[in-house]
Amino acid sequence: MGWKGYIAKKVAITALTLFILITINFFLFRILPGDPARLLFKNPKASKEALAYIRERFGIDKPLWVQYLIYIRETLVGNFGWSFVYNEPVMNVIARRLPNTLLLIGSAAVVSTVIGIILGAIAGWKKGTKTDFVIFGFSVITTWLPSFWVGIILLLIFGWWLRMFPLGGITTPAVSYPSVFSYWADVLWHMTLPMVNLLFWYLGEYVLLMRSSMLDVLAEDYIVTARAKGLKERVILINHAMRNALLPVVTLTTINLGFVVAGAIQTEIVFSWPGLGRLMYDSLVMRDYPLLQGTFLILAICVIAANFFADLIYGYLDPRIRVRGEE
């Protein structure tokens, strides 16, 4: 089948997954309790005429199968509907929140990847030493700690007791900034605690995976040969061991790119960070079905796309994957 056949197979699987996802996304939020038309009115005694107008205005008065066909058509053209609460297109609301999520989670992902690779390589290289014990133990602890619990502890210590960082938000309310530098300084100040929280979440898995990969690589014959040639330990570590140990980490990094958006939900809720995670929570509470569907679909597409590119990169780097895929 070859490389082109491998890509075609992955594209077909991804397309089928997206179709199933879109279908589930439609029906999933239709089974939620509550009447969205009635929730739009503060007065519980809203007239039947008013409720009927709202249902007609947003198309929820049509049969379910008609709504499904309309949803499929509109989704394929990039129209995710009209928000019940914000009274504007769903994509406009998402577009305002998406940069905040990309800034926070993207920064945490990059920093944790670099630090995790370095610490994992050192732990694998120093296996059995105190350095390995400390790095390995710290990574295991951070991997098992719930991110929302760590976030609450960070807020309690550094936000409430020490007053070093704000308790939430992305900027200080009612403040005028004399320059763009002061604005970004304020954003980074607000971003510090949620970013540290995400570093705890991401870092452990990178360290553990890199350490395990390093141990496998260090047992290979070419490492023994390099040492027999008299190469310096630093050269062996960087040029031989780390390069070959990075393959699993590359795969994990690519997959985690999908969670650059999806992984923000708990952190954004705890720190009141105005991103997609917080938006999904708010839309769920307010029963804003179109906005909830659109946000969920964006998050899911990011994960599916990341897995697709991870398969392509891994298949390119390791031809054995393509061979197994053709069998």
Side-chain angles (χ1 to χ4, degrees), residues 23-41:
T23 302
I24 295 175
N25 190 42
F26 172 81
F27 288 102
L28 179 63
F29 299 107
R30 263 54 180 191
I31 64 176
L32 292 175
D35 182 0
R38 188 173 293 279
L39 290 171
L40 292 176
F41 287 94

Side-chain angles (χ1 to χ4, degrees), residues 112 115-124 131-146 199-212:
S112 61
I115 297 177
I117 289 174
I118 295 174
L119 292 180
I122 294 175
T131 302
D132 177 34
F133 177 78
V134 171
I135 295 177
F136 181 77
F138 174 77
S139 302
V140 171
I141 292 174
T142 57
T143 301
W144 285 100
L145 286 178
L199 285 178
F200 274 93
W201 187 37
Y202 282 121
L203 188 60
E205 60 179 348
Y206 283 116
V207 173
L208 295 177
L209 182 60
M210 187 64 185
R211 178 183 181 274
S212 176

Side-chain angles (χ1 to χ4, degrees), residues 181-195:
F181 298 102
S182 59
Y183 167 78
W184 281 108
D186 191 32
V187 171
L188 292 175
W189 184 46
H190 283 75
M191 193 174 72
T192 301
L193 287 185
M195 183 173 175

